[in-house]
Amino acid sequence: MTLLDRDIPGIRTIAPSVRRSRLRLDAGDRDVLTLYLFTRVAVLLTAYCTAWLFPRDPEAHRPEPFAAVVGQWDWNHYLHIARDGYFPDDPAARPEEWDNREAFFPGFPLLLRALHLVVRDWAAAGLLVSLVAGAVAVLALGRIARLQLPRAADSRRAVLLLLVSPCAVFLAVGYTESLFLAFALPAWLAARRHDWRLAALLAAGATTVRVSGLFLVAALVVHFALTARRRGELRSLPWLALPALPPLLYSWYLYGHTGDPMAWKHAQERGWYREFHTPWEAWGTTWEAAFGHGYTTPYALMWQAELVAMAVGLVTVALLARARRWPEAVYVALSLWALGTSYWYMSVPRATLLWWPLWVGLAAWTSRGPRRSAAWLCLSVPLSVVLAVTFFSGRWAG
């Protein structure tokens, strides 16, 4: 028995009942999908009500088009890439002020452009990608939780906690979180089954969508080092280099257009202040922005949320290390390092959606008593509703 499969508190080994067909949906999977569909309806209902209750023009007699309500902020970058490309030849397609769109990896825009051949409305195509990808992601999360938690109800709890988390709205709209998880979580499941080729192929999909897919690759390598014992498995190690190919190809593409293979990183620095700073400098800058009264209250609250999310991430890494779950600890730690060494924290709350060990761990913790579960839901659900309304009303601060 390996280090990762041994019994530790709140975690159990792989049960024979889960070693079944990868595509067959059992009762637990169907429960997860039902829960997922109910929450998707709730998100769409929130968007509809927000359009009527909080129009940008207080004197409006008609709500904004639904595409404008769900298509906010980063969605516009993905839309412009999918519709016009990274470096459009048509002058009319070029923004007057460059939007640093090369900061965004091509996986989601490429899929969006392909789907647009069938679904002609761009916003509907983006919602459909997130809807289908989110279903794959929650199914995989439920199965991961079943490998570690003692009861089927606890695995459904992990999915519920993700779907009502404060930033859950980003799983439903045209953003990359759902698509990334649809690759990353099945990749982790494949690695748990020691199917390294499939894990590498799925991880390559993740690195096409977000650079944080490389953090997943690091976790897979650590898992391989700790669990691979048979000679046949060792021959699979070169497959784990495959996920590096999409970022290399994207860098090559950027070099051909800009002469800079790291143009995606430099675009992040220009547009979102992601140049390197020490962790204590980043914490101090974010703390000052949150509590120094130099920003308006919506922005200050956003920085406060960034600090809380960073603290949650640090606690998660500490608990994973204590449980000797080294691959998951490496995955979350690398994410924290990337987000915590910029000028200030940005998008850390959204990144929590990608930390599947957090949601499995919270499911284990809240299952130990109804008071814990009630306390967490009373904290999480109102924040989720507030952030969804803020996003759909166009008042999201960052």
Side-chain angles (χ1 to χ4, degrees):
M1 184 176 291
T2 65
L3 178 64
L4 292 180
D5 290 334
R6 70 183 186 179
D7 289 327
I8 57 178
I11 298 175
R12 64 183 178 92
T13 57
I14 300 176
S17 61
V18 300
R19 297 191 184 107
R20 51 166 65 82
S21 171
R22 299 169 188 172
L23 298 179
R24 172 187 263 178
L25 299 180
D26 59 21
D29 294 329
R30 290 191 291 272
D31 288 344
V32 163
L33 284 178
T34 300
L35 179 63
Y36 176 70
L37 291 176
F38 281 149
T39 58
R40 298 313 85 188
V41 171
V43 171
L44 292 177
L45 182 60
T46 302
Y48 176 82
C49 293
T50 300
W52 285 87
L53 294 175
F54 303 104
R56 299 191 195 191
D57 179 7
E59 301 300 323
H61 288 244
R62 295 178 181 271
E64 287 187 288
F66 191 72
V69 175
V70 298
Q72 304 279 0
W73 307 103
D74 284 359
W75 159 253
N76 292 307
H77 293 288
Y78 300 123
L79 172 61
H80 295 157
I81 296 167
R83 187 184 61 199
D84 306 321
Y86 283 98
F87 307 101
D89 295 327
D90 183 4
R94 299 189 199 125
E96 294 183 5
E97 183 178 352
W98 189 242
D99 56 6
N100 297 305
R101 64 183 65 177
E102 61 270 31
F104 299 89
F105 271 46
F108 180 69
L110 284 173
L111 182 57
L112 187 63
R113 186 176 183 88
L115 186 59
H116 181 63
L117 298 175
V118 179
V119 181
R120 301 304 298 174
D121 183 87
W122 286 105
L127 291 176
L128 183 58
V129 170
S130 291
L131 177 67
V132 176
V136 174
V138 296
L139 282 173
L141 178 61
R143 293 186 177 188
I144 289 172
R146 270 188 275 177
L147 299 181
Q148 301 179 199
L149 302 178
R151 297 177 302 176
D154 295 337
S155 64
R156 293 193 295 271
R157 187 189 301 269
V159 173
L160 175 64
L161 292 175
L162 171 67
L163 293 176
V164 300
S165 62
C167 288
V169 64
F170 295 107
L171 296 172
V173 294
Y175 275 55
T176 59
E177 278 75 8
S178 287
L179 185 59
F180 177 84
L181 288 174
F183 286 115
L185 297 184
W188 183 247
L189 271 176
R192 290 295 301 267
R193 292 191 298 263
H194 292 207
D195 189 344
W196 300 108
R197 294 182 183 182
L198 180 59
L201 288 169
L202 290 167
T207 57
T208 305
V209 177
R210 298 173 69 100
V211 69
S212 49
L214 295 175
F215 309 153
L216 171 67
V217 177
L220 294 177
V221 170
V222 174
H223 184 58
F224 184 93
L226 292 174
T227 63
R229 295 292 181 266
R230 299 189 303 273
R231 182 175 299 179
E233 277 193 272
L234 295 177
R235 288 199 295 267
S236 299
L237 179 60
W239 279 92
L240 295 181
L242 178 65
L245 183 59
L248 289 174
L249 289 175
Y250 183 48
S251 294
W252 178 58
Y253 167 80
L254 292 175
Y255 178 76
H257 284 79
T258 67
D260 179 11
M262 295 297 290
W264 63 269
K265 179 67 170 63
H266 299 145
Q268 290 186 356
E269 293 174 354
R270 290 192 305 269
W272 294 271
Y273 303 99
R274 292 196 182 275
E275 66 272 10
F276 178 80
H277 288 263
T278 62
W280 48 92
E281 288 176 326
W283 177 275
T285 303
T286 310
W287 185 275
E288 178 62 25
F291 300 108
H293 307 293
Y295 290 87
T296 57
T297 53
Y299 278 93
L301 182 61
M302 181 190 73
W303 300 129
Q304 292 170 26
E306 299 283 346
L307 291 168
V308 171
M310 179 60 68
V312 169
L314 292 172
V315 172
T316 300
V317 171
L319 292 175
L320 289 170
R322 181 183 178 185
R324 298 186 181 183
R325 303 198 70 86
W326 302 117
E328 296 98 320
V330 166
Y331 172 72
V332 180
L334 288 174
S335 177
L336 289 177
W337 177 260
L339 295 167
T341 54
S342 298
Y343 174 71
W344 49 26
Y345 300 159
M346 186 173 292
S347 300
V348 185
R350 277 175 55 193
T352 62
L353 297 171
L354 312 182
W355 301 342
W356 78 86
L358 169 64
W359 306 111
V360 175
L362 277 174
W365 181 76
T366 56
S367 67
R368 296 174 186 172
R371 292 182 181 178
R372 293 185 180 187
S373 182
W376 180 261
L377 291 175
C378 287
L379 174 67
S380 182
V381 172
L383 291 175
S384 176
V385 173
V386 168
L387 198 149
V389 171
T390 304
F391 177 87
F392 291 132
S393 64
R395 294 175 174 86
W396 176 241

